[in-house]
Amino acid sequence: HVVQNGCDAEHYIVGGLEPSPDKRIINIENLSRPVIGYMGDIAPWFEFSFIEKAAMKHPEWSFVLIGTWKRDGKPPRKFPNIHIPGRVSYDELPYYVRRFDVGTVPFVFNDLTRVVNPLKLYEYFALGLPVVATSLPEIARHKNLVYLAKNADEFIAGLESASNEPSDCPARPLRVTVARENSWRSRGDKIIRLMKSAIEKKGNSGRL
Protein backbone atom coordinates (compact mmCIF):
# COMPACT_ATOMS: atom_id res chain seq x y z
CA HIS A 1 0.00 0.00 0.00
CA VAL A 2 1.22 3.48 -0.85
CA VAL A 3 0.36 6.37 1.46
CA GLN A 4 1.13 9.61 -0.36
CA ASN A 5 2.40 12.93 0.89
CA GLY A 6 0.22 15.06 3.12
CA CYS A 7 0.16 18.59 4.45
CA ASP A 8 -0.73 20.59 7.53
CA ALA A 9 -3.45 22.61 5.81
CA GLU A 10 -4.53 24.52 8.91
CA HIS A 11 -0.98 25.77 9.45
CA TYR A 12 -1.37 27.79 6.24
CA ILE A 13 -5.03 28.67 6.61
CA VAL A 14 -4.98 30.03 10.17
CA GLY A 15 -1.57 29.19 11.67
CA GLY A 16 1.98 30.41 11.51
CA LEU A 17 3.72 33.37 13.07
CA GLU A 18 4.14 36.90 11.77
CA PRO A 19 7.82 37.87 11.81
CA SER A 20 8.66 41.21 13.35
CA PRO A 21 9.37 43.96 10.77
CA ASP A 22 13.10 43.93 11.51
CA LYS A 23 13.35 40.16 10.96
CA ARG A 24 11.45 39.80 7.69
CA ILE A 25 13.60 38.36 4.94
CA ILE A 26 11.75 40.47 2.38
CA ASN A 27 9.15 43.23 2.55
CA ILE A 28 6.78 41.29 0.36
CA GLU A 29 3.91 43.74 0.96
CA ASN A 30 5.83 46.48 -0.88
CA LEU A 31 6.51 44.50 -4.06
CA SER A 32 4.68 45.19 -7.29
CA ARG A 33 1.87 42.76 -7.96
CA PRO A 34 1.15 40.12 -8.87
CA VAL A 35 3.59 38.29 -6.66
CA ILE A 36 4.54 34.97 -8.28
CA GLY A 37 5.79 32.75 -5.48
CA TYR A 38 7.70 29.56 -4.82
CA MET A 39 8.71 27.88 -1.58
CA GLY A 40 11.22 25.07 -1.22
CA ASP A 41 14.77 24.21 -2.18
CA ILE A 42 15.97 25.88 -5.36
CA ALA A 43 17.77 22.73 -6.44
CA PRO A 44 18.87 21.20 -9.78
CA TRP A 45 15.34 19.91 -10.37
CA PHE A 46 14.00 23.49 -10.25
CA GLU A 47 13.44 24.77 -13.82
CA PHE A 48 14.97 28.21 -13.27
CA SER A 49 14.80 29.08 -16.97
CA PHE A 50 10.99 29.19 -16.74
CA ILE A 51 11.22 31.88 -14.06
CA GLU A 52 13.82 33.88 -15.97
CA LYS A 53 11.80 33.88 -19.19
CA ALA A 54 8.64 34.88 -17.32
CA ALA A 55 10.52 37.67 -15.51
CA MET A 56 11.87 38.93 -18.83
CA LYS A 57 8.43 39.01 -20.45
CA HIS A 58 6.75 40.55 -17.41
CA PRO A 59 9.16 42.98 -15.71
CA GLU A 60 6.18 44.48 -13.90
CA TRP A 61 5.64 41.23 -11.94
CA SER A 62 7.49 40.21 -8.78
CA PHE A 63 8.94 36.71 -8.45
CA VAL A 64 9.69 35.61 -4.88
CA LEU A 65 11.54 32.32 -4.42
CA ILE A 66 11.68 31.42 -0.72
CA GLY A 67 14.13 28.65 0.08
CA THR A 68 17.73 27.53 0.07
CA TRP A 69 19.78 27.97 -3.11
CA LYS A 70 21.18 24.52 -3.93
CA ARG A 71 22.33 25.00 -7.50
CA ASP A 72 25.84 25.58 -8.79
CA GLY A 73 27.18 29.09 -8.23
CA LYS A 74 25.35 31.97 -6.66
CA PRO A 75 21.79 33.09 -7.39
CA PRO A 76 21.78 35.15 -10.61
CA ARG A 77 21.05 38.86 -10.37
CA LYS A 78 20.12 39.51 -14.00
CA PHE A 79 16.50 40.36 -13.27
CA PRO A 80 15.60 42.94 -10.60
CA ASN A 81 12.10 41.48 -10.31
CA ILE A 82 13.39 38.04 -9.21
CA HIS A 83 13.87 37.96 -5.45
CA ILE A 84 15.66 35.10 -3.70
CA PRO A 85 15.73 36.19 -0.04
CA GLY A 86 16.62 32.80 1.46
CA ARG A 87 14.82 30.39 3.75
CA VAL A 88 12.49 31.06 6.66
CA SER A 89 11.33 28.91 9.53
CA TYR A 90 8.29 26.70 9.02
CA ASP A 91 6.46 28.75 11.64
CA GLU A 92 6.88 31.96 9.63
CA LEU A 93 6.41 30.49 6.15
CA PRO A 94 2.60 30.99 5.99
CA TYR A 95 3.06 34.74 6.50
CA TYR A 96 4.87 34.98 3.16
CA VAL A 97 2.86 32.39 1.24
CA ARG A 98 -0.40 34.15 2.12
CA ARG A 99 0.95 37.14 0.22
CA PHE A 100 1.55 35.18 -2.98
CA ASP A 101 -0.92 35.83 -5.80
CA VAL A 102 0.17 32.68 -7.64
CA GLY A 103 2.05 29.61 -6.41
CA THR A 104 4.42 27.72 -8.67
CA VAL A 105 5.98 24.25 -8.99
CA PRO A 106 8.41 24.68 -11.92
CA PHE A 107 10.22 21.34 -11.93
CA VAL A 108 12.20 19.74 -14.73
CA PHE A 109 11.11 16.43 -16.23
CA ASN A 110 13.38 13.61 -15.04
CA ASP A 111 13.24 10.23 -13.32
CA LEU A 112 13.03 11.88 -9.89
CA THR A 113 10.25 14.35 -10.60
CA ARG A 114 8.14 11.82 -12.53
CA VAL A 115 7.30 10.18 -9.20
CA VAL A 116 7.43 13.20 -6.88
CA ASN A 117 4.28 14.19 -4.99
CA PRO A 118 5.01 17.85 -4.13
CA LEU A 119 3.94 18.80 -0.64
CA LYS A 120 3.93 22.47 -1.65
CA LEU A 121 1.05 21.85 -4.06
CA TYR A 122 -1.28 21.00 -1.16
CA GLU A 123 0.11 23.90 0.88
CA TYR A 124 -0.72 26.35 -1.92
CA PHE A 125 -4.14 24.70 -2.22
CA ALA A 126 -4.74 25.26 1.50
CA LEU A 127 -4.90 28.99 0.69
CA GLY A 128 -6.95 28.48 -2.47
CA LEU A 129 -4.06 29.86 -4.53
CA PRO A 130 -3.97 29.35 -8.28
CA VAL A 131 -0.93 27.20 -9.06
CA VAL A 132 1.15 26.99 -12.22
CA ALA A 133 3.13 23.77 -12.36
CA THR A 134 5.06 21.48 -14.62
CA SER A 135 2.76 18.75 -15.89
CA LEU A 136 4.11 15.96 -13.69
CA PRO A 137 1.93 12.85 -13.13
CA GLU A 138 1.14 13.52 -9.46
CA ILE A 139 0.27 17.15 -10.20
CA ALA A 140 -1.73 16.36 -13.33
CA ARG A 141 -4.13 14.35 -11.15
CA HIS A 142 -5.46 17.76 -10.09
CA LYS A 143 -5.58 19.18 -13.63
CA ASN A 144 -8.92 20.91 -13.04
CA LEU A 145 -7.40 22.98 -10.23
CA VAL A 146 -3.90 23.66 -11.63
CA TYR A 147 -2.50 25.50 -14.64
CA LEU A 148 -0.24 22.87 -16.21
CA ALA A 149 2.78 23.56 -18.41
CA LYS A 150 5.21 21.47 -20.44
CA ASN A 151 7.51 24.28 -21.55
CA ALA A 152 8.39 27.90 -20.83
CA ASP A 153 5.74 29.36 -23.15
CA GLU A 154 2.99 27.31 -21.50
CA PHE A 155 4.35 28.25 -18.09
CA ILE A 156 4.15 31.96 -18.90
CA ALA A 157 0.67 31.56 -20.38
CA GLY A 158 -0.38 29.75 -17.20
CA LEU A 159 0.98 32.58 -15.07
CA GLU A 160 -0.94 35.11 -17.15
CA SER A 161 -4.18 33.18 -16.67
CA ALA A 162 -3.56 32.41 -13.00
CA SER A 163 -2.72 36.01 -12.14
CA ASN A 164 -6.06 37.07 -13.61
CA GLU A 165 -8.08 34.38 -11.85
CA PRO A 166 -10.95 36.10 -9.99
CA SER A 167 -11.05 35.87 -6.22
CA ASP A 168 -14.48 34.25 -6.43
CA CYS A 169 -13.34 31.54 -8.87
CA PRO A 170 -15.11 28.25 -7.94
CA ALA A 171 -11.76 26.44 -8.04
CA ARG A 172 -10.49 28.28 -4.96
CA PRO A 173 -12.68 26.61 -2.32
CA LEU A 174 -12.21 23.28 -4.11
CA ARG A 175 -8.45 23.63 -3.68
CA VAL A 176 -8.89 24.17 0.05
CA THR A 177 -11.04 21.04 0.22
CA VAL A 178 -8.38 19.01 -1.60
CA ALA A 179 -5.71 20.29 0.81
CA ARG A 180 -7.77 19.22 3.81
CA GLU A 181 -8.50 15.84 2.22
CA ASN A 182 -4.74 15.37 1.85
CA SER A 183 -3.82 16.36 5.39
CA TRP A 184 -1.49 14.34 7.60
CA ARG A 185 -4.53 13.46 9.73
CA SER A 186 -6.25 11.91 6.71
CA ARG A 187 -3.04 10.01 5.92
CA GLY A 188 -2.89 8.74 9.50
CA ASP A 189 -6.52 7.63 9.31
CA LYS A 190 -5.72 5.70 6.13
CA ILE A 191 -2.78 3.93 7.80
CA ILE A 192 -5.01 2.96 10.74
CA ARG A 193 -7.65 1.56 8.38
CA LEU A 194 -5.02 -0.47 6.51
CA MET A 195 -3.60 -1.84 9.76
CA LYS A 196 -7.04 -2.77 11.08
CA SER A 197 -7.84 -4.52 7.82
CA ALA A 198 -4.57 -6.48 7.98
CA ILE A 199 -5.24 -7.48 11.59
CA GLU A 200 -8.76 -8.63 10.73
CA LYS A 201 -7.43 -10.73 7.85
CA LYS A 202 -4.88 -12.29 10.14
CA GLY A 203 -7.64 -13.11 12.62
CA ASN A 204 -9.60 -14.86 9.88
CA SER A 205 -6.69 -16.70 8.30
CA GLY A 206 -4.31 -17.12 11.22
CA ARG A 207 -1.54 -15.22 9.44
CA LEU A 208 -0.82 -11.92 7.68
Side-chain angles (χ1 to χ4, degrees):
H1 298 281
V2 176
V3 178
Q4 295 175 316
N5 228 340
C7 76
D8 184 355
E10 302 308 316
H11 180 63
Y12 288 86
I13 297 171
V14 297
L17 299 174
E18 180 175 346
S20 60
D22 61 319
K23 292 185 178 179
R24 292 175 188 170
I25 60 170
I26 185 171
N27 290 318
I28 195 168
E29 302 91 342
N30 298 331
L31 298 178
S32 62
R33 308 202 81 87
V35 173
I36 311 300
Y38 171 83
M39 57 176 172
D41 289 338
I42 307 166
W45 56 81
F46 183 91
E47 186 61 90
F48 199 80
S49 65
F50 285 10
I51 299 296
E52 288 186 313
K53 289 176 181 177
M56 190 182 335
K57 184 171 182 181
H58 289 283
E60 74 280 13
W61 291 358
S62 299
F63 295 80
V64 178
L65 314 179
I66 295 177
T68 303
W69 180 264
K70 292 187 176 181
R71 301 167 67 90
D72 291 339
K74 295 181 179 180
R77 305 293 183 187
K78 292 188 294 183
F79 300 98
N81 57 334
I82 297 179
H83 308 274
I84 309 175
R87 68 176 298 278
V88 297
S89 70
Y90 181 67
D91 286 340
E92 294 180 352
L93 189 55
Y95 171 82
Y96 297 96
V97 181
R98 286 177 192 144
R99 285 153 180 79
F100 290 174
D101 294 300
V102 179
T104 62
V105 190
F107 287 175
V108 300
F109 289 96
N110 59 28
D111 290 340
L112 171 65
T113 59
R114 284 191 188 95
V115 295
V116 73
N117 183 238
L119 175 59
K120 61 180 62 60
L121 178 68
Y122 302 126
E123 293 170 334
Y124 294 145
F125 276 5
L127 295 171
L129 284 175
V131 180
V132 182
T134 308
S135 187
L136 303 174
E138 286 297 311
I139 297 178
R141 293 192 303 114
H142 305 288
K143 61 183 179 181
N144 293 331
L145 302 176
V146 185
Y147 297 85
L148 297 172
K150 292 182 179 178
N151 53 52
D153 289 340
E154 290 183 4
F155 186 77
I156 294 170
L159 291 177
E160 291 169 345
S161 297
S163 62
N164 288 308
E165 184 182 276
S167 58
D168 60 352
C169 176
R172 292 191 178 234
L174 292 177
R175 293 180 186 126
V176 178
T177 298
V178 169
R180 284 178 162 147
E181 289 174 348
N182 289 274
S183 68
W184 287 118
R185 180 177 293 276
S186 70
R187 297 295 188 249
D189 289 342
K190 181 177 181 179
I191 291 170
I192 290 172
R193 290 195 302 271
L194 290 169
M195 292 175 67
K196 285 182 176 179
S197 176
I199 291 170
E200 289 172 0
K201 288 180 180 178
K202 181 180 180 181
N204 292 333
S205 66
R207 62 181 179 180
L208 282 175

